[in-house]
Amino acid sequence: MNKSQPLVSAEGVGKSFGSIRAVQRISFEVLPQQIFSLLGPNGAGKSTLVRMLIGMLPPDEGTFVWRNSSGATVPLDRAKIGYLPEDRGLYKDQPVAATLEYFAGLRGLNRTESKRVSQLWIERLGLTQYAKSKLETLSKGNQQKVQIASAVLHRPALLVLDEPFSGLDPINQELMVNLIREIRAEGTTVLLSAHQLNLIERLADHVMIIAKGQKVLSGTVEEICHGEHGGKTLRVEFEQPIAANLLTEIQAHGDVRGLLLEQPNLIAMQFGPNQKQLEWLNKLQQWGAIRTFQSSSTSLHEIYLRVANDGLPQKEPSDV
Ligand code: ATP
């Protein structure tokens, strides 16, 4: 596998539905064996982008360029893609093993091979006792595992997962994180769209945030959190709930670029990499007694809330 050449590049792709510009001239590259995460609020255009990428929807403009393992451009080969859509389409009244064998057959595996890989995945995912059970009798987490298996059992070059963590409890979310890592280690590139930023922060090699159909931020988690949109977050906990107009006062000041009321008495203020925080502590003491304060690197979650809410980042306020 030629790891320096992208598996797929999007070049200025766009799509409108009537007057809705769902995706606006977005370009990006997915490298082989990367875990590439697509983030964005509801309606940002993620599913539209994914559906264009895998050839389910033609773009109005722009192209996708696919490359094989030697780096040569090739046409899109849907047999090399595994797709877990957001609205899962499995037959819930069918047994687990039969479902997986059916999907293996659809992916071009013969009967013997279909049985073999289905059995393998059932064991791997700890579902042996449910092999003959109807899908609808399984817990949501176990159904999700079967759904992932149905998308990956033919060992695709690219696995596309739309909301793989939705509806899973924290234990099953961890299992899913590990499973995605294992699938990548076996040579599959993973493109996933999800809203669980704490998991994405640990899992993704590359993150692209889109909002209102436009690319807002793109890079590794490290690049995003320590680049120009990252910085420090100062959490200040007051003895009492804060005064109603404190947030407006802070915002009016102009040098705090993100502000969240995390508890009635706890605020989180985001600062740019070179901005000073300590003088703010002095100012805030005038508003009430401070119980605790803590400064930490701004998280992906906090950056996301700021840029995905507002659309494209505005010019940063000048340093103080
Ligand atoms: P979510 O996180 O809620 O799944 P998303 O980021 O995947 O959202 P899309 O489903 O791609 O967003 O939708 C982007 C925009 O395009 C939305 O305004 C949506 O209403 C619109 N849209 C998507 N598909 C169609 C369609 N088939 N016909 C008309 N409008 C559509």
Side-chain angles (χ1 to χ4, degrees), residues 17 20 22 41-48 86 195:
F17 300 103
I20 300 170
N42 295 130
K46 303 178 298 295
S47 300
T48 306
E86 195 178 359
H195 294 295

Side-chain angles (χ1 to χ4, degrees), residues 66-84:
W66 291 85
R67 290 179 194 276
N68 65 15
S69 52
S70 331
T73 58
V74 287
L76 162 69
D77 180 357
R78 285 184 68 177
K80 294 215 168 105
I81 295 176
Y83 178 42
L84 178 76

Side-chain angles (χ1 to χ4, degrees), residues 56-293:
M56 283 174 68
L57 198 65
D60 294 341
E61 58 181 333
T63 49
F64 292 96
V65 177
W66 291 85
R67 290 179 194 276
N68 65 15
S69 52
S70 331
T73 58
V74 287
L76 162 69
D77 180 357
R78 285 184 68 177
K80 294 215 168 105
I81 295 176
Y83 178 42
L84 178 76
E86 195 178 359
D87 48 350
R88 331 286 193 211
L90 295 189
Y91 304 104
K92 299 220 164 190
D93 58 349
Q94 293 297 311
V96 169
T99 301
L100 291 181
E101 286 165 28
Y102 169 76
F103 273 91
L106 279 187
R107 310 289 192 187
L109 276 62
N110 66 32
R111 246 178 103 82
T112 319
E113 191 59 5
S114 295
K115 272 190 180 308
R116 192 187 68 80
V117 293
S118 301
Q119 187 59 32
L120 210 102
W121 275 95
I122 285 170
E123 282 166 21
R124 179 174 184 177
L125 297 175
L127 297 173
T128 308
Q129 59 176 312
Y130 305 112
K132 295 200 166 80
S133 309
K134 287 181 179 175
L135 209 58
E136 63 195 358
T137 65
L138 270 58
S139 70
K140 175 131 187 173
N142 282 336
Q143 288 189 28
Q144 197 97 317
K145 289 183 195 169
V146 177
Q147 281 153 339
I148 294 253
S150 73
V152 80
L153 40 66
H154 61 305
R155 297 183 66 103
L158 176 68
L159 176 64
V160 179
L161 304 171
D162 205 346
E163 295 289 338
F165 306 111
S166 75
L168 298 185
D169 67 36
I171 295 169
N172 276 308
Q173 287 186 349
E174 285 303 321
L175 286 178
M176 192 62 72
V177 164
N178 291 335
L179 182 60
I180 292 170
R181 286 200 180 116
E182 283 171 31
I183 290 170
R184 186 266 296 274
E186 287 161 16
T188 293
T189 305
V190 181
L191 186 144
L192 65 101
S193 138
H195 294 295
Q196 293 75 5
L197 296 167
N198 56 333
L199 300 180
I200 295 302
E201 207 162 18
R202 291 166 40 204
L203 189 59
D205 300 309
H206 192 96
V207 168
M208 181 168 83
I209 302 178
I210 64 172
K212 298 176 188 146
Q214 292 181 303
K215 180 157 94 173
V216 176
L217 268 184
S218 176
T220 62
V221 173
E222 174 80 12
E223 283 163 356
I224 291 178
C225 292
H226 294 104
E228 60 170 322
H229 302 292
K232 294 279 179 200
T233 295
L234 177 66
R235 279 193 173 70
V236 181
E237 183 193 18
F238 290 87
E239 293 287 353
Q240 302 292 330
I242 63 160
N245 54 343
L246 176 57
L247 296 185
T248 335
E249 287 283 330
I250 295 174
Q251 266 153 345
H253 206 274
D255 62 347
V256 175
R257 61 182 189 180
L259 181 61
L260 284 177
L261 181 65
E262 293 190 338
Q263 303 275 340
N265 64 334
L266 177 63
I267 56 172
M269 305 162 75
Q270 289 179 38
F271 296 90
N274 303 315
Q275 286 177 283
K276 292 178 188 149
Q277 308 160 46
L278 289 182
E279 61 192 52
W280 265 103
L281 277 178
N282 290 330
K283 283 184 208 158
L284 288 171
Q285 277 175 346
Q286 296 158 21
W287 287 82
I290 291 173
R291 185 184 291 166
T292 61
F293 62 89

